[in-house]
Amino acid sequence: MLKPRLLHPSESLFLHPKPFLHGSSGRSSTASLPVWSTKPSFSNKHQSLRFGSTNYRYKTKAVSSDSNSTSSSSDGTSSGVSSTSTSSSSTSNTSTPGPTTTTTITTTTEVTEVVTETEDAVVDKEVEVVTTKEVVTEKFTSVKGTITVTLTVGGFLNNLGLTRGIDDVRDMLGQTLFMDLISAHVDPKTGSEKEHVTGFAHRSSQKDSEIVYETDFKVPLDFGEVGAVLIENEHHKEMYLKDIVLDGLPNGPVLLTCNSWLHSKYDNPAKRVFFTNKSYLPSQTPSALVRLREEELVTLRGNGQGERKSFERVYDYDVYNDLGDPDSKLRLKRTVIGGSKEFPYPRRCRTGRPMCETDRLSEKRSSSTYVPRDEAFSEIKQLTFSAKTVYSVLHAVVPALETAMVDSDLGFPLFTSIDSLYNEGISLPPLKDQGVLRTMVPRLVNAIASGEDVLRFVPPETMNRDKFFWFRDEEFARQTLAGLNPYSIKLVTEWPLRSELDPDVYGPPESAITTKMIEQEIRGFATIQEAIREKKLYILDYHDLFLPYVGKVREIEGTTLYGSRTLFFLTPDGTLRPLVIELTRPPLDGKPQWKQTFQPSWNATGVWLWRIAKAHVLAHDSGYHQLVTHWLRTHCATEPYIIATNRQLSVMHPIYRLLHPHFRYTMEINALAREALVNAGGIIETSFSPGKYSMEICSIAYGKEWRFDLEALPADLIRRGMAVEDPTAPHGLKLSIQDYPFANDGLLLWDALKQWVTDYVSHYYTDSTLVQTDQELQAWWTEIRTVGHGDKKDEPWWPELNTPQDLIDIITTMVWVTSGHHAAVNFGQYTYAGYFPNRPTIARTNVPTEDPDDEVWKKFLEKPEITLLQCFPSQIQATTIMAVLDILSNHSPDEEYMGEKMEDAWAEDKVIRAAYERFKGRLMMLEGTIDDRNANYELKNRSGAGVVPYELLKPFSEPGVTGKGVPYSISI
């Protein structure tokens, strides 16, 4: 039986606010609970009380601004064996931030007892009492910490069951988030990190979609500047931290912008570190933060082992070995892209999934693909327009369309049938979850009075302005300069045209396009040599890229392929005129090489053959645009930049903070594209001409065409012969075609971006030494070149990184690709391809003049319209593509446009803040300039009767399918 212990005469019973101890770590909490103690457990000085040879050590602490609050006897000496007194003050979680004085009073009483014993055993006692006092005054400041957590669909508030109940209890006890404040400065005496100031945050309030947690810290005045916060989530579910604000510090409030998922300690016991918004180069990092900076990078790199878990934030590399699904069906086995000379490619994010059973080179597919946790879409983007919606369309809309259209190979019988897609629409069969399609694609799926779902397309702006826009040759030519793919048109610099492919395999290299043919078309303007010298002849050249795959693609049912060349002439009014199309088939099935030219004609047969040839070229251009101009050059090429940035640049690094908004959501959209768009049997393979060889062709294009140094807009224009350097011209370039809307607007945006990057970089890197000695920066650029784009690591054209100007050029190229380049080739997809005859994605039949039999030729002569419609995509292909392009062209409500909102870290520095404001001003000026240009009817490539104004590079946009707006990043 436990017996109560009697107090020693020297002991007093204290009631003081002793911190609640959580777990076994001995951490203290700001949730103060009263604890009874026989010894006051205060820190600092010690008091010794000696009874003969016995010592009692304890300490006392008085919290007061009055240093004289001691009790004493009337004669000024302490009464009794010892005398100590304390003046206490209460602590509250709602204390006002600001300086507070802590007075520590140490009273030392020495009692000396002298005992004298006489012969008759009489005891004489003398007691000598000596009392000394020492008063030490310490100062601290009360700091309020406020943590804002955003409510999420999948986060901790969605947690039901037992763990939710436990989490609610933790909230009530004020034990939701355990925090450590970390000083940016080391202890000057020891040279080591200062002791952390800790506390639990308790739930304070909730407003709309945010919950606020608060805590109070007592921070010593010599703590110095707060450099970081360690935080632990005591809940069983992750939560999304928006930001942390520390108010009451001597130098004013400190903001830590988080915008990050905080894992549960039950998933990972390691605490998360969040640094303040102040940026530091590695060499300038405060000593007390160096260890945390390095350790965080080690965490983000991972160890390259095992399958990644959804809550992790590990960034690592892998090849594209996850496109196929051979374990499901052997016909879905696909070549590994990347890591070989035959099929070079940028790297993707490693997931660590196991290999397939039937193909040990291919990674198994799963219901979801890992991306580092903070790369995930925001809740708004997830629930409105995103690649997740595309995935849903493919898994709900497409099966519904397949049910509605019994024959998947059935084409459109008449052009009026195509028009009906925008009028009557397609009745969809009942679904188990009624209305699910209306939720996923509300712009397209409508409910009619009978309760049925109808897929009814919105007419694109091009069709609204001119129903027959797609039929006109001048519009066909104009769109090479101001359409969806303005990156392919090139200047003809050599004549005659020749192939660089092996003639022993692919046949004679000479083009079928002759001098006589061209000069007949441009008679009265120039000879062929004059046209080339005066930069009047331009080409779309898909000959050598596609010709090696013609035989393979033609083995796939329902598609065909040619190598193609299309020539254009620059007229005196600055517009392009199509001259000739050449289609080529290599030697195949014992037949020799076949090639034929098609020209605009003045007889019925020639006119229809020209239209069919044009449909093939448009299918080639659509495939190249989607696979190379869009997917490869923006999405794929950028992913290694993102991985390297997170692995090698600390979040404190100014270059990380410059790049971060340009990388948001790209890794998730890429992962979802590998799940549903570019995968085996995905939408690209089933609806574009190259079929299952699409990604192989994309890889070949990467090997032959992609160069980092030529991804900058000025360099790209020069490479294609569309501009030459001219220091006296605007932007330092003279355009070959003065009215080139993409280039005209793009160069203004490029200049604005470059000036912003120049101002930013120059602020942090004042000389070349800082660039050369920045270990994080050098490791970042080395990893991009040798790992992320490792298949091209030995190329001589990679830029050096030795000077601030080198860095400016590299960064400007990257952010141009993620912003201007991507916007120009993505957000006009529904505008220009929403009426699919304008940009068919696939040509399903050969031209009727290639090895024709009598029946094919007869049908063509009797009903050429049917021949063209049969060449177009099938009903299921066309409607699927149109539905997907509608989603991909959509701006979500939370779209982040360049120049619209300043990053918190940029706002911390007045120099950067001023530079950003100038950048924003240039973008607003660009908006006005584009409007003025579109109103100028002298610029015939961007204005005119029935012409859609060129707005793809206008910086800002409202939500929806608008055909304008330049977001920071590749987020769709």
Side-chain angles (χ1 to χ4, degrees), residues 147-403:
I147 305 97
T148 303
V149 173
T150 303
L151 298 179
T152 59
V153 173
F156 71 103
L157 287 186
N158 194 41
N159 182 20
L160 302 176
L162 178 61
T163 56
R164 173 61 190 270
I166 295 174
D167 291 344
D168 287 344
V169 171
R170 291 192 185 282
D171 277 350
M172 288 189 292
L173 292 176
Q175 300 172 37
T176 306
L177 298 169
F178 182 75
M179 303 173 63
D180 295 58
L181 301 189
I182 300 170
S183 174
H185 310 286
V186 296
D187 189 314
K189 295 180 180 178
T190 65
S192 59
E193 297 175 15
K194 292 184 178 180
E195 184 177 351
H196 299 178
V197 177
T198 63
F200 268 110
H202 64 279
R203 182 166 175 164
S204 172
S205 62
Q206 178 177 344
K207 182 178 180 182
D208 297 330
S209 62
E210 294 180 345
I211 297 180
V212 174
Y213 290 82
E214 293 182 351
T215 187
D216 291 306
F217 299 100
K218 285 189 170 66
V219 180
L221 287 185
D222 63 354
F223 188 73
E225 184 180 354
V226 174
V229 171
L230 288 175
I231 189 164
E232 181 178 80
N233 175 13
E234 306 294 324
H235 274 191
H236 288 75
K237 280 279 189 175
E238 64 181 357
M239 58 177 66
Y240 190 81
L241 262 62
K242 180 183 177 183
D243 56 40
I244 301 170
V245 177
L246 302 175
D247 191 14
L249 291 164
N251 295 325
V254 172
L255 171 66
L256 296 88
T257 302
C258 305
N259 291 324
S260 178
W261 290 95
L262 178 62
H263 62 263
S264 165
K265 74 172 187 179
Y266 299 99
D267 288 329
N268 180 1
K271 295 179 182 178
R272 274 291 304 278
V273 61
F274 292 98
F275 297 100
T276 63
N277 289 346
K278 189 173 182 179
S279 298
Y280 297 98
L281 297 179
S283 61
Q284 299 165 352
T285 307
S287 301
L289 301 180
V290 171
R291 177 184 62 84
L292 286 173
R293 181 173 184 148
E294 294 173 350
E295 288 179 355
E296 176 71 353
L297 286 174
V298 170
T299 298
L300 292 169
R301 292 174 194 143
N303 59 11
Q305 303 296 317
E307 184 171 357
R308 298 269 65 90
K309 298 179 178 61
S310 61
F311 62 82
E312 293 180 320
R313 298 180 302 122
V314 174
Y315 295 78
D316 204 352
Y317 301 94
D318 209 342
V319 295
Y320 279 71
N321 62 352
D322 63 340
L323 301 175
D325 189 10
D327 284 355
S328 172
K329 296 176 183 177
L330 200 55
R331 64 180 177 81
L332 296 180
K333 178 181 176 180
R334 292 294 180 268
T335 301
V336 175
I337 303 296
S340 68
K341 291 183 178 180
E342 184 180 9
F343 296 111
Y345 215 57
R347 298 299 185 264
R348 63 168 176 91
C349 181
R350 178 185 176 275
T351 66
R353 292 180 294 192
M355 296 294 106
C356 292
E357 302 296 331
T358 55
D359 178 16
R360 303 306 295 175
L361 297 177
S362 295
E363 185 175 280
K364 283 188 175 182
R365 296 177 66 79
S366 55
S367 58
S368 63
T369 302
Y370 166 81
V371 293
R373 190 64 185 97
D374 284 338
E375 301 299 330
F377 283 137
S378 71
E379 294 292 320
I380 294 177
K381 188 171 283 288
Q382 282 183 338
L383 297 177
T384 54
F385 325 107
S386 73
K388 290 185 181 298
T389 315
V390 176
Y391 192 80
S392 300
V393 166
L394 297 181
H395 287 76
V397 176
V398 174
L401 288 171
E402 289 174 344
T403 303

Side-chain angles (χ1 to χ4, degrees), residues 112-117 122-128:
T112 304
E113 184 179 75
V114 180
V115 180
T116 304
E117 186 173 349
V122 176
V123 178
D124 186 12
K125 295 183 181 181
E126 295 181 6
V127 178
E128 181 180 352

Side-chain angles (χ1 to χ4, degrees), residues 741-861:
F742 162 70
N744 294 131
D745 296 355
L747 286 170
L748 285 174
L749 181 58
W750 169 271
D751 284 353
L753 272 170
K754 188 166 186 178
Q755 187 59 58
W756 154 239
V757 173
T758 299
D759 291 344
Y760 189 100
V761 169
S762 299
H763 178 59
Y764 291 101
Y765 295 92
T766 54
D767 58 56
S768 297
T769 302
L770 288 172
V771 174
Q772 295 164 11
T773 58
D774 188 331
Q775 295 178 345
E776 287 183 8
L777 189 70
Q778 293 297 330
W780 167 77
W781 184 234
T782 298
E783 187 167 288
I784 286 172
R785 293 183 291 108
T786 63
V787 183
H789 284 274
D791 293 340
K792 288 181 172 279
K793 63 181 178 181
D794 298 322
E795 296 287 355
W797 42 254
W798 282 104
E800 300 275 333
L801 181 51
N802 294 318
T803 68
Q805 188 59 52
D806 293 340
L807 182 57
I808 290 166
D809 293 340
I810 289 168
I811 297 297
T812 306
T813 298
M814 288 183 178
V815 300
W816 160 257
V817 168
T818 67
S819 58
H821 181 149
H822 182 259
V825 301
N826 181 77
F827 292 106
Q829 291 192 85
Y830 193 77
T831 301
Y832 288 101
Y835 185 73
F836 75 86
N838 183 58
R839 290 188 65 81
T841 58
I842 188 171
R844 297 192 297 151
T845 60
N846 297 336
V847 293
T849 52
E850 182 196 344
D851 302 329
D853 57 39
D854 293 340
E855 184 178 351
V856 170
W857 185 249
K858 181 181 178 182
K859 286 183 177 180
F860 166 67
L861 293 177

Side-chain angles (χ1 to χ4, degrees), residues 676-704:
L677 296 177
V678 300
N679 61 301
I683 189 170
I684 297 295
E685 287 196 0
T686 57
S687 301
F688 284 76
S689 283
K692 68 178 184 179
Y693 299 103
S694 294
M695 289 298 285
E696 286 189 19
I697 291 176
C698 187
S699 167
I700 300 299
Y702 174 72
K704 286 185 174 182

